[in-house]
Amino acid sequence: MTSYSVTVSRHTPSKSSFTGEIPKDLEMAEGDTKTIPFEYAIYALGASLPDPINVWKPLGHIEEPDAYQLHLKESSTTLSQIDGYEQEGSKSGSIAWLQAAQSRVAKVNSMIVVGGGALGIQIATDAAEVHPQKTITLIHSREHLMPIYDQKVHEEALRSLQKLNVDVNLNERIDMETIRNPTHDENGQQVIKTLSGRTFAADAILLCTGSHPNNRILSRGLGKDVINPANGHVRVLRTLQVTNTMVDTSAPCTDGGPSTLVPTVPFPHIFAIGDVADAFGAIKAGHTAYNQGEVAANNIISLINKGSSAELQQYQPGPPAIKITLGIKHYVYQEGPTVVVGDDGVEDLHVALVWHMLGFTGDIDMHQ
């Protein structure tokens, strides 16, 4: 990527669920590259999740018989950041990867989930409900689960975990050296320690301690200064335009209204949104990225119509909102001050609603 173009390569997975036609101007032979110029761009490559849902990894990673390690070896590196690492990322490849991970989880007798955020809670409760005979432990570094949300969310999550016989340990932070340099006990279980000195052991360790921004393409194209070194996120202004200077992300939005474009903005035509953006304390969630996308799109339209004299919209994060599954059907969600508990969840999480929102109206079975 450069300031005014992006180069893409054709990757053809071994199996593909795509059956439509590719537009003529985008047709490429396998292995070919194509440079696409642009006047405006929105960088929305998100973040890489930790195992066991890092579906960008090759299937062989999870199928290695002697290396069942569902965690990152280095907390500061993801495989998507390693040069030359073969990535899959297709729908069929991701499904196969997840099915292999499910099979591995089914074979172990015990597992430890590290991290009491949404991901850790959901994996622990799903595993406990699907495999009630397994010993499942959750370790969280803070006093409360989901601490930025209402106390009722913590209480319901904790109650649900305990009801499913998950051993919940709060205020315990893992010594990451015991993750990076694993040891095993006489039963073959991996041993990890906390900073307080407690020891835990299990057949599988699942790190659910946060995602890593996919910033490499942008930092290579625009320079490393567009990345906040403190967290790896892309620096943006309130207008969500990418910048290469330090931004006070705690500063309030100026009355929430429009902002006149500052002439010194280094990349006025490039925007960053979603999990990759250092967006003023906004939580990392789909609805957050959706709202940021609207701001970026509105600002691009304003720039197209009025150029440097355009008044641009400023982004203001909304209040925390989330829905957390606590097993297959049970859940809790918060929207504003309202917290709701329910038991009418479905296994596919109503994913078809997203297909329809994106305009899909065909007869293809998207579950295939």
Side-chain angles (χ1 to χ4, degrees):
M1 180 176 183
T2 71
S3 298
Y4 287 95
S5 69
V6 61
T7 300
V8 298
S9 60
R10 168 95 183 268
H11 169 59
T12 304
S14 55
K15 295 180 180 179
S16 176
S17 57
F18 179 72
T19 58
E21 292 186 4
I22 299 175
K24 292 292 184 183
D25 59 339
L26 294 180
E27 284 186 351
M28 297 168 57
E30 184 174 355
D32 282 357
T33 61
K34 184 180 183 69
T35 298
I36 303 173
F38 61 78
E39 295 182 58
Y40 296 92
I42 297 177
Y43 190 86
L45 288 187
S48 295
L49 290 169
D51 296 330
I53 58 171
N54 186 357
V55 296
W56 285 91
K57 286 187 178 179
L59 187 59
H61 170 78
I62 195 64
E63 291 182 331
E64 293 173 357
D66 299 322
Y68 179 48
Q69 300 294 334
L70 293 182
H71 60 73
L72 298 175
K73 292 294 186 182
E74 297 291 342
S75 61
S76 61
T77 304
T78 63
L79 288 176
S80 63
Q81 296 172 315
I82 299 175
D83 291 335
Y85 200 99
E86 181 185 354
Q87 297 175 329
E88 177 59 73
S90 68
K91 178 179 177 179
S92 58
S94 299
I95 290 173
W97 203 99
L98 288 170
Q99 288 173 337
Q102 288 174 333
S103 176
R104 282 292 191 179
V105 169
K107 293 176 182 178
V108 301
N109 295 317
S110 60
M111 53 191 283
I112 295 173
V113 178
V114 180
L119 178 60
I121 292 170
Q122 291 177 135
I123 287 180
T125 52
D126 277 1
E129 182 166 337
V130 175
H131 305 288
Q133 76 282 5
K134 297 187 186 300
T135 300
I136 299 176
T137 302
L138 185 141
I139 302 174
H140 185 52
S141 61
R142 302 187 183 185
E143 183 179 358
H144 292 90
L145 304 166
M146 307 294 295
I148 70 171
Y149 297 94
D150 192 283
Q151 173 71 10
K152 295 177 184 177
V153 175
H154 159 77
E155 293 171 353
E156 184 59 31
L158 182 60
R159 187 191 70 81
S160 299
L161 286 160
Q162 293 172 338
K163 184 178 179 180
L164 290 167
N165 296 315
V166 176
D167 178 20
V168 180
N169 298 268
L170 303 177
N171 283 324
E172 292 286 354
R173 185 175 294 275
I174 294 297
D175 180 353
M176 292 303 295
E177 284 302 313
T178 62
I179 295 291
R180 298 186 185 100
N181 301 293
T183 60
H184 297 78
D185 62 15
E186 63 276 10
N187 298 316
Q189 294 184 324
Q190 184 175 341
V191 177
I192 60 174
K193 295 181 180 180
T194 65
L195 295 182
S196 69
R198 294 184 64 188
T199 299
F200 297 85
D203 297 326
I205 312 295
L206 280 65
L207 279 191
C208 300
T209 51
S211 57
H212 300 267
N214 295 323
N215 58 32
R216 184 179 62 167
I217 292 176
L218 197 68
S219 64
R220 284 184 170 181
L222 305 185
K224 64 180 182 180
D225 288 341
V226 301
I227 307 301
N228 181 349
N231 55 26
H233 292 97
V234 177
R235 287 169 166 161
V236 293
L237 303 173
R238 280 281 179 183
T239 55
L240 299 180
Q241 292 163 301
V242 174
T243 183
N244 56 11
T245 57
M246 186 178 296
V247 177
D248 183 2
T249 57
S250 64
C253 178
T254 56
D255 72 21
S259 169
T260 301
L261 177 64
V262 181
T264 56
V265 174
F267 306 105
H269 60 300
I270 301 178
F271 297 74
I273 65 170
D275 286 6
V276 76
D278 199 11
F280 308 93
I283 63 172
K284 307 304 180 185
H287 64 272
T288 300
Y290 186 94
N291 294 335
Q292 293 172 3
E294 286 193 327
V295 172
N298 289 337
N299 285 342
I300 288 174
I301 292 172
S302 295
L303 288 169
I304 291 172
N305 290 334
K306 297 185 178 181
S308 60
S309 64
E311 289 189 336
L312 302 185
Q313 183 178 347
Q314 295 191 8
Y315 174 68
Q316 178 66 44
I322 197 167
K323 180 177 180 179
I324 310 170
T325 59
L326 301 169
I328 303 303
K329 293 187 176 182
H330 192 58
Y331 61 85
V332 60
Y333 77 79
Q334 177 179 345
E335 186 172 0
T338 302
V339 177
V340 176
V341 177
D343 288 295
D344 58 345
V346 295
E347 287 194 19
D348 72 355
L349 304 177
H350 298 291
V351 69
L353 295 177
V354 178
W355 303 334
H356 294 158
M357 183 179 71
L358 295 175
F360 176 75
T361 58
D363 298 325
I364 299 174
D365 183 359
M366 296 292 284
H367 287 94
Q368 292 182 348

